[in-house]
Amino acid sequence: MTILDGNIVTVAMPAIQSDLGFSGPGLAWVVNAYLIPFGGLLLLVGRLGDLVGRKRMFTAGLALFTTASVLCGVAGSQGVLIAARALQGVGGAMTSAVVLGMLVTLFPEPREQARAIAVFSAVGAGGGALGTFLGGALTQLVNWHWIFLINLPIGIVAWLAAVRVLAPEKGAGLGKGADYPGAALVTSALMLTVYVIVGAGDRDGAATALLALLATVLFTAFVLRQARAARPLLRLRLFRSRLLSGANAVQVLMIATMFGFQFIGALYLQRVLGYGELATGTAFLPAPIAIGLLMLVLSARTIGRFGPYRVLLAGLVLITAGMALLSRAPADGSYAVDFLPPMMLLSAGFAAAMPALTGLAMSGAREEDGGLASGLFNTTQVVGGSLGLAVLSTLAASRTDVLLDGGAQLSQATADGYQLAFRIASTIAVTALALATLTLRTRHPNERNKN
């Protein structure tokens, strides 16, 4: 539900703009108001989950997210919708930041943990991919308000199940790590970073550079604070883990690639192939179905047999191949020939890579840092998605403008812009593959037994 909500509004944006009278730049805040608190608070609430209890943080976040969804659904003005979206971002951060920490604690045995992570990843991937379909279907068949109101019954059921099923956790206590100045620094730095990325295309280069410099200063101050604090919010030793640091760096690049595909791919279908909202959502449906089936049926087995490192590399190879094929999608292309095959390659690659990458990241953290490691992993996911969207959409738009100024036809110029974005995305995927090869090498038990 929380992952789905990050992109369900994409297809509904024109309807929201028409109904509430948003300007072009103002409309971007329907997305940014969610992403900034979501990305900025993940690290903080992940650590707080370790201190006050992850179940408590999880259920409180579910309640807040569900309430905020209702406020979004009944919003009749720009201000109410943007404020409610910000509350959604806070609630989403509270739930997402601790869920992986709970998962690895509930399933400590490696095979069970791999299976649990595969199910978790399948649900998350399905939520992300289904957002495009549900956004188009609900907007066209009912109205845009229902892309938010649909969360009410889901949120109630999820909250009741969490209260009843999850075992209570006491937590370490706020006195053992509540570094409030450090919390203010890192939250401000992360929020500013996400703001810089998602709004880079709407401001001049000097302003963007100044804000990026300020974010860097805040991060530096946070690191210095953590190195000297008696009870730091973030133990810097966490980053000594090669697996945790490497997996988070690889995730930034991989998610940038996949999020760019989801956004640019939807634009290609609508603006080049002429698809409507519902048709665009339907065209993406094979992806979540394939991802869910592959993760549930094959992911745990393949990771158990070959190890997460090899499965991750295989997945990144498939993602690279899929993006390379998409970079050839022409102005007179067809869905069956030019879009569906590379989309299925991307789906298979993501289904292989994501559970393996998650397992590698969480294996590099101690149990008492599970919530913090979970929050960090989700933070790099948001940063990667925001970065991919900002960079690839900006490059595509710039390329299209240059071609139009040169006298090219609109459809051809638009398609060429998207081709450039897909080529850059394939390069990013290659970089992720190289980084994973260098930093995440692990020996599988079968290799040790042979030796």
Side-chain angles (χ1 to χ4, degrees):
M1 181 175 65
T2 55
I3 294 175
L4 178 149
D5 223 77
N7 64 356
I8 193 173
V9 300
T10 303
V11 181
M13 294 284 264
I16 294 174
Q17 182 177 25
S18 175
D19 194 13
L20 298 184
F22 276 101
S23 64
L27 186 65
W29 280 99
V30 178
V31 175
N32 295 349
Y34 179 85
L35 286 178
I36 291 171
F38 185 86
L41 290 171
L42 280 166
L43 197 59
L44 171 61
V45 295
R47 182 57 180 161
L48 290 177
D50 290 331
L51 301 178
V52 304
R54 295 168 199 156
K55 177 181 178 178
R56 186 177 300 171
M57 182 65 69
F58 184 77
T59 52
L62 270 177
L64 178 60
F65 184 91
T66 305
T67 301
S69 296
V70 175
L71 292 176
C72 288
V74 300
S77 66
Q78 298 178 17
V80 171
L81 179 59
I82 290 174
R85 286 287 284 168
L87 281 179
Q88 270 192 314
V90 176
M94 292 169 68
T95 57
S96 300
V98 296
V99 67
L100 281 175
M102 291 194 297
L103 202 66
V104 297
T105 302
L106 286 168
F107 300 97
E109 197 275 321
R111 286 188 177 275
E112 287 187 346
Q113 188 176 109
R115 191 176 299 115
I117 288 176
V119 172
F120 169 78
S121 300
V123 172
L130 281 171
T132 306
F133 170 73
L134 289 177
L138 290 172
T139 301
Q140 186 165 321
L141 299 178
V142 192
N143 57 58
W144 66 265
H145 297 275
W146 281 94
I147 67 174
F148 301 113
L149 294 176
I150 195 174
N151 289 332
L152 178 60
I154 300 172
I156 291 173
V157 171
W159 187 87
L160 291 173
V163 169
R164 181 170 181 177
V165 174
L166 296 177
E169 292 180 307
K170 186 177 180 181
L174 285 174
K176 295 191 176 180
D179 175 23
Y180 296 110
L185 284 171
V186 72
T187 302
S188 300
L190 284 170
M191 284 188 173
L192 185 57
T193 298
V194 177
Y195 172 71
V196 169
I197 293 172
V198 299
D202 298 325
R203 66 177 79 91
D204 60 67
T208 297
L210 183 62
L211 291 173
L213 178 62
L214 178 57
T216 303
V217 170
L218 290 171
F219 273 122
T220 303
F222 170 71
V223 171
L224 293 175
R225 168 74 187 180
Q226 298 312 285
R228 299 176 181 179
R231 290 179 177 143
L233 176 74
L234 172 60
R235 298 183 182 94
L236 297 181
R237 62 168 170 75
L238 193 69
F239 294 99
R240 296 174 188 169
S241 168
R242 172 179 57 86
L243 292 179
L244 184 140
S245 298
N248 277 280
V250 170
Q251 179 174 232
V252 170
L253 299 174
M254 186 180 78
I255 296 299
T257 301
M258 295 302 297
F259 202 91
F261 154 71
Q262 194 165 4
F263 184 77
I264 302 295
L267 292 178
Y268 174 79
L269 290 175
Q270 290 180 309
R271 296 180 179 178
V272 177
L273 300 189
Y275 281 36
E277 296 166 340
L278 183 57
T280 299
T282 305
F284 272 92
L285 264 186
I289 294 172
I291 290 171
L293 288 175
L294 289 172
M295 283 184 174
L296 293 173
V297 176
L298 293 178
S299 181
R301 292 182 184 178
T302 54
I303 290 174
R305 181 173 180 180
F306 300 106
Y309 172 73
R310 290 179 176 178
V311 174
L312 171 62
L313 295 188
L316 290 173
V317 168
L318 291 174
I319 290 173
T320 301
M323 293 307 304
L325 283 177
L326 269 176
S327 67
R328 304 174 62 186
D332 58 349
S334 70
Y335 172 76
V337 174
D338 301 299
F339 194 85
L340 182 60
M343 181 175 72
M344 299 313 291
L345 276 178
L346 288 166
S347 301
F350 188 75
M354 193 61 192
L357 189 62
T358 303
L360 287 168
M362 295 307 295
S363 69
R366 300 179 184 179
E367 183 176 341
E368 63 268 24
D369 293 323
L372 181 59
S374 175
L376 178 63
F377 193 69
N378 281 282
T379 298
T380 56
Q381 197 171 90
V382 173
V383 170
S386 302
L387 190 62
L389 175 60
V391 171
L392 296 177
S393 61
T394 299
L395 289 173
S398 298
R399 173 65 174 166
T400 298
D401 290 341
V402 168
L403 293 173
L404 288 175
D405 291 341
Q409 293 184 350
L410 178 60
S411 61
Q412 186 62 55
T414 303
D416 284 354
Y418 297 153
Q419 286 178 353
L420 174 64
F422 290 138
R423 285 197 295 272
I424 299 299
S426 66
T427 303
I428 295 172
V430 170
T431 306
L433 177 60
L435 184 60
T437 304
L438 293 173
T439 64
L440 299 179
R441 168 69 177 169
T442 56
R443 296 185 68 189
H444 190 250
N446 290 343
E447 294 180 272
R448 301 191 191 105
N449 293 338
K450 290 178 182 178
N451 295 329

